[in-house]
Amino acid sequence: DPKEINLLEVVEAIDGPIQLNECVANEGVCTFEENCPIRPVWCDAQDELVKRLKTTSFADMLSREA
């Protein structure tokens, strides 16, 4: 049923977990981590993308085509 399949499931089935930047999923990979001004931006952007993909079903996309 298209209502039960979300975009996150499809993307992760093909590409694996979404990771906008290595430091988002792996703490300690960067020597600047504690003082990095961009890491929180990467983390927020990834969270927003994952949430958007998770809440968008194939039924949603089909209804937008009309």
Side-chain angles (χ1 to χ4, degrees), residues 5-42:
I5 303 170
N6 66 52
L7 288 177
L8 181 64
E9 294 170 323
V10 175
V11 169
E12 289 187 338
I14 295 168
D15 293 328
I18 291 177
Q19 185 175 330
L20 294 180
N21 195 319
E22 187 178 25
C23 69
V24 174
N26 302 311
E27 290 186 30
V29 298
C30 179
T31 58
F32 300 107
E33 186 173 299
E34 291 182 21
N35 298 313
C36 180
I38 194 73
R39 186 173 188 272
V41 175
W42 281 122

Side-chain angles (χ1 to χ4, degrees), residues 58-66:
F58 273 75
D60 295 331
M61 291 189 306
L62 291 170
S63 70
R64 291 179 186 162
E65 287 183 12

